[in-house]
């Protein structure tokens, strides 16, 4: 257990769960809020948001998803089941239960939003409120794939290629891949500084991390779609806030609110003036909207 060098006032610790260790940062007292990061980030993506939520009176927990950051990287299988969003959501339930939180709000960005989507479906009595950042539902995005989406989100189709093709390609120069990936999604100069990039790279260059990330995406294109098809007629019952970047690919290509209204019963949302990396590009606007959402009737 140690103080976080990136999230002011937070402590970093590892939770030993039945089949994986989850690295997480935590601070604060009050209503619990779980923050789930995306790819290629780790929990430090919340460094500009999480301390403000603590100041506002919330208990904030920001883990590294399994496979990412300093969390465990379990072996996968032919169906990529250990990296399904159902299993990854189960990690978060176990983590929060260990911390004594049996009902909480969830904010998920990018991959974390997909874990949060599954969490809200599988554990409707646990999720009080759900916010998803710069995503449309996975099944919707694959079903509506066209040349523009495939070009601008090429990694959705590259990372799912059979082992070990993408692993070898990324592993040849992980820093180049990570920097190009981040630069291609961020629209705000200076939003992601060198210290943050160095921290992302510290764990991203680990071959086990690269493989786990590929397995995450392979699961999304396979077993996750099967789970989503099985739940085609189910709806998220928790209030859902969708926020997207006005200058992001998702904001350009999708009617984000409409896609989520097909999946949930109570949806509100808006765009923010930024690209994909909302927690890093528009932290003040995001924090304000989250606090409004958490405190609304």
């Amino acid at each position: 257990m140690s103080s976080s060098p990136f999230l002011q006032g937070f402590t970093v610790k590892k939770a030993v769960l039945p089949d994986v260790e989850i690295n997480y940062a935590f601070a604060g007292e009050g209503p619990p809020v779980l923050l789930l990061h995306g790819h290629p980030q780790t929990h430090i993506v919340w460094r500009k948001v999480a301390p403000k939520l603590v100041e506002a009176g919330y208990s904030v927990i920001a883990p590294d998803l399994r496979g990412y950051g300093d969390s465990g990287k379990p072996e996968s299988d032919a169906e990529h089941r250990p990296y399904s969003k159902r299993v990854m959501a189960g990690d978060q339930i176990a983590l929060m239960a260990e911390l004594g939180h049996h009902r909480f709000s969830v904010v998920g960005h990018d991959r974390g939003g997909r874990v949060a989507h599954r969490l809200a479906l599988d554990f409707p009595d646990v999720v009080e409120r759900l916010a998803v950042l710069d995503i449309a539902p996975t099944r919707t995005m694959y079903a509506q794939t066209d040349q523009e989406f495939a070009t601008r989100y090429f990694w959705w189709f590259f990372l799912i290629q059979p082992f070990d093709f993408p692993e070898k390609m990324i592993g040849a120069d992980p820093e180049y891949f990570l920097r190009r990936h981040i630069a291609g999604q961020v629209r705000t100069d200076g939003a992601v500084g060198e210290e943050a990039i160095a921290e992302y790279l510290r764990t991203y260059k680990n071959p086990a991390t690269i493989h786990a990330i590929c397995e995450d995406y392979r699961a999304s294109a396979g077993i996750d779609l099967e789970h989503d098809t099985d739940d085609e007629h189910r709806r998220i019952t928790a209030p859902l806030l969708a926020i997207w970047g006005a200058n992001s690919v998702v904001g350009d290509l999708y009617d984000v609110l409409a896609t989520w209204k097909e999946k949930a019963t109570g949806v509100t949302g808006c765009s923010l003036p930024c690209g994909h990396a909302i927690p890093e590009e528009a932290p003040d606007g995001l924090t304000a909207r989250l606090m409004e959402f958490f405190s609304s009737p």
Side-chain angles (χ1 to χ4, degrees), residues 127-170:
V127 177
E128 185 169 351
R129 291 177 180 270
L130 170 64
V132 291
L133 309 184
D134 209 58
I135 64 168
T138 304
R139 189 163 176 255
T140 302
M141 292 177 74
Y142 270 123
Q144 296 181 14
T145 292
D146 57 15
Q147 182 176 351
E148 185 174 8
F149 174 68
T151 300
R152 296 174 71 179
Y153 259 42
F154 74 92
W155 57 93
W156 271 44
F157 307 93
F158 170 55
L159 297 177
I160 68 175
Q161 297 305 308
F163 176 83
D164 59 353
F165 175 54
E167 285 93 338
K168 286 281 190 181
M169 298 290 284
I170 297 169

Side-chain angles (χ1 to χ4, degrees), residues 153-219:
Y153 259 42
F154 74 92
W155 57 93
W156 271 44
F157 307 93
F158 170 55
L159 297 177
I160 68 175
Q161 297 305 308
F163 176 83
D164 59 353
F165 175 54
E167 285 93 338
K168 286 281 190 181
M169 298 290 284
I170 297 169
D173 195 343
E175 180 171 0
Y176 176 82
F177 184 83
L178 181 135
R179 285 182 180 276
R180 282 295 298 266
H181 190 85
I182 290 174
Q185 293 192 305
V186 172
R187 301 288 183 267
T188 307
D189 290 343
V192 187
E194 281 299 314
E195 286 188 359
I197 289 177
E199 174 62 9
Y200 294 146
L201 181 63
R202 179 182 65 82
T203 55
Y204 202 89
K205 65 185 179 183
N206 180 351
T209 301
I210 296 170
H211 176 56
I213 287 167
C214 291
E215 287 296 290
D216 172 14
Y217 279 84
R218 288 170 181 140

Side-chain angles (χ1 to χ4, degrees), residues 28-200:
E29 297 181 358
V33 178
L34 177 66
L35 304 178
L36 301 179
H37 69 86
H39 169 260
Q41 292 84 14
T42 66
H43 75 275
I44 74 156
V45 77
W46 303 107
R47 63 194 178 278
K48 303 176 186 179
V49 174
K52 295 177 182 178
L53 292 176
V54 170
E55 290 176 8
Y58 293 95
S59 176
V60 179
I61 300 90
D64 293 335
L65 297 172
R66 72 159 56 197
Y68 289 80
D70 290 311
S71 285
K73 294 140 181 71
E75 291 188 10
S76 195
D77 60 24
E79 292 185 315
H80 320 294
R81 189 176 300 273
Y83 290 89
S84 68
K85 303 312 154 292
R86 173 160 283 160
V87 170
M88 294 171 85
D91 293 343
Q92 304 310 318
I93 291 291
L95 170 64
M96 294 297 276
E98 183 169 298
L99 297 176
H101 302 309
H102 301 285
R103 185 166 171 80
F104 49 87
S105 296
V106 186
V107 183
H109 175 240
D110 188 79
R111 310 308 291 174
R114 304 189 190 286
V115 175
H117 180 189
R118 175 48 56 186
L119 202 159
L121 282 175
D122 286 357
F123 303 95
D125 295 334
V126 172
V127 177
E128 185 169 351
R129 291 177 180 270
L130 170 64
V132 291
L133 309 184
D134 209 58
I135 64 168
T138 304
R139 189 163 176 255
T140 302
M141 292 177 74
Y142 270 123
Q144 296 181 14
T145 292
D146 57 15
Q147 182 176 351
E148 185 174 8
F149 174 68
T151 300
R152 296 174 71 179
Y153 259 42
F154 74 92
W155 57 93
W156 271 44
F157 307 93
F158 170 55
L159 297 177
I160 68 175
Q161 297 305 308
F163 176 83
D164 59 353
F165 175 54
E167 285 93 338
K168 286 281 190 181
M169 298 290 284
I170 297 169
D173 195 343
E175 180 171 0
Y176 176 82
F177 184 83
L178 181 135
R179 285 182 180 276
R180 282 295 298 266
H181 190 85
I182 290 174
Q185 293 192 305
V186 172
R187 301 288 183 267
T188 307
D189 290 343
V192 187
E194 281 299 314
E195 286 188 359
I197 289 177
E199 174 62 9
Y200 294 146

